[in-house]
Every structure is written in C-alpha cells, then in structure tokens.
Amino acid sequence: MRLIAAFAALIATSAETAPNVVTDIAPIHGLVSEVMGGLGSPTLLLPANADAHHYTMRPSDAQVLADADVVIWVGAGLTPWLEAPLDALSPDATRLALLLSDGWTPRELHDGDDHDHGVIDPHAWLDPAVAYAWLGTIAQVLGAADPENAETYADNAERAAVSNVELRLDIAAKMESLTGRGVIWPHDAYGYFADAFGVTSMGAISDSDAAAPGPAHIAELRKMTQSGDVVCVALDPEVNPSWGDLLTEGTDVKIARVDPIGADIPLGVGLYPALISQLADQISGCLAE
Ligand SMILES: [Zn+2]
C-alpha cells in the first residue's frame, strides 16, 4: 500500500514537471500555451509590443535562454539577432525553428531582381492553416522532450487544431465578398493572411524586415491610392503612421490599424485565435464600402 502511494506520488510529481519552454513572440507563445494546457506555461522572450525584427536583448532575456529546456521560435528569418544567443546560451536545449519544420508551404518573397529563390516570408503564423500544422509539430517536440506527457500534448494540439479549422471557416465567410478590393500592407508581412483568405494585396509600404521605404516606392503606392486600385491602407506598429496620411491624402482610401503580434490581447491560451479574428475584423472593416 505504501509502495503504491509512493509510486502515485512519483507519477504526480513527474507529470507536474513539464519542461521549461521558452518561446519568441506572443502568437507562438499562444500556440505553445494551447499545447501545454494545464501542464505548464511557456515563457515569452519578446514583450508583445517589441519589434521582432530589431530587438536588443536585456540581461534578463539571457537568463531566460540559459534556463530553457526547450526553445520554440519562428526562426532566424524573423529574429536574426536570436540565433547567436541561442547557440551561446541554450546549447543543450531542444530547439524548434518553426520555419524549418515540415507539413506546411512556405511563402517565397519575390523582391526585385533576386533570382535565387529561398528567401522565405517569416510571418507564417498569420495563416491559420500554417498554425494548424505547427500545433502538431509543437506537440511532437514537447512529447519527445517530456515523453510522460506526450499524449496530453497531442490531445491538446488536436483540440486546438479543431477550433482552428472553425476559425478559418468563420473568417473565410467574412472575407469572401471583399475579394478584389485592394489593400496596401504596412510591411510585407501579411502575405500568408492575404493568400489564406483571398485578400487582394497591391503592395506593402516597407519590405519584410520593416526597413524604411524609398521615395520611388512611395510614389508608386501613391499612384495606386489615387487611381482607385487600392481601397485600404493598413498600418502596423512597425511602420511610421505618417506614410498612411501621405498615401491617402485627398482620396477616399481608408486606413486600418492592424497588429500582427497581438500586443493588446492577453497572453496565453486564446491569444492566437483572437489575433487572427482581430486582423480579419480590421481588414474587412477597412475593405467594406
Ligand atoms: Zn514583420
């Protein structure tokens, strides 16, 4: 009897000690939170309002990486500054770069005369079908790091994936009638969302790492807003909002404030679907007549 009690206590303890999981940005933290469920909470490295492309690590971030058992991040395409610290500070952690995972189709960036394909748009979480694939991959990696809870991770990922399918159907219904109405995006980060829901992308103010645009490019976009080819200019925290005024001045083109990270949404379970729903509302509101 005592042996059984001791054994039960041992199981209870081991089930409670989920690995220490670190994630990069809020949407990935949200997906990992869904997969971990009641087993624990991941740690978020980047504050939700930080600029993912250009971030300066704090000493406390170094400690977070040093303590990690598992690091789940989008990958060097989104946060190039994170690769070297991971090598140096988390050499023994299990590392999952979602951009390098299987089971989804990366979107290639076609910029100018760059003929060697292979530059991947890193903002892939903005397609819920990609998030669906990533939930399964996250469950596999967590299950390998923590085999006793592998089944729970798989069940949680399955549950999240089912509600993800419902979310996609809801948004597709909302966006259906708006196809053909042109959008200018704040930076080249929304292609996955646009492709998933048939949004007509006419261009982006800045490129995929949110660098400042040149005058010729702005003139080209301004032509689109004046000609009526574009009905909505979206702005996000990574671009200067005055570009929006410049592009829409003297036209009926509307401005949408969008957010690819979910800075104003509570962290954890539920952030991801709330982020995608919010983005759909922001864009459909701007595209509607
Ligand atoms: Zn970006």
Side-chain angles (χ1 to χ4, degrees), residues 51-53 78 122-123 125 187-189 207-210 236 238 260-261:
D51 175 355
H53 299 291
L78 183 72
H123 307 83
W125 68 91
H187 76 295
D188 190 7
D207 62 13
S208 86
D209 71 353
D236 72 13
E238 292 182 31
I261 300 288

Side-chain angles (χ1 to χ4, degrees), residues 18-23 29 32-34 36-44 268-269:
N20 188 3
V21 183
V22 174
T23 61
H29 178 269
V32 173
S33 297
E34 312 261 5
M36 292 185 78
L39 293 174
S41 300
T43 303
L44 176 65
V269 173

Side-chain angles (χ1 to χ4, degrees), residues 161-185:
V162 168
S163 53
N164 183 297
V165 170
E166 290 163 7
L167 173 74
R168 270 149 69 196
L169 293 173
D170 282 355
I171 294 175
K174 185 179 295 182
M175 305 301 281
E176 201 176 12
S177 62
L178 302 170
T179 296
R181 298 172 62 74
V183 179
I184 290 174
W185 296 104

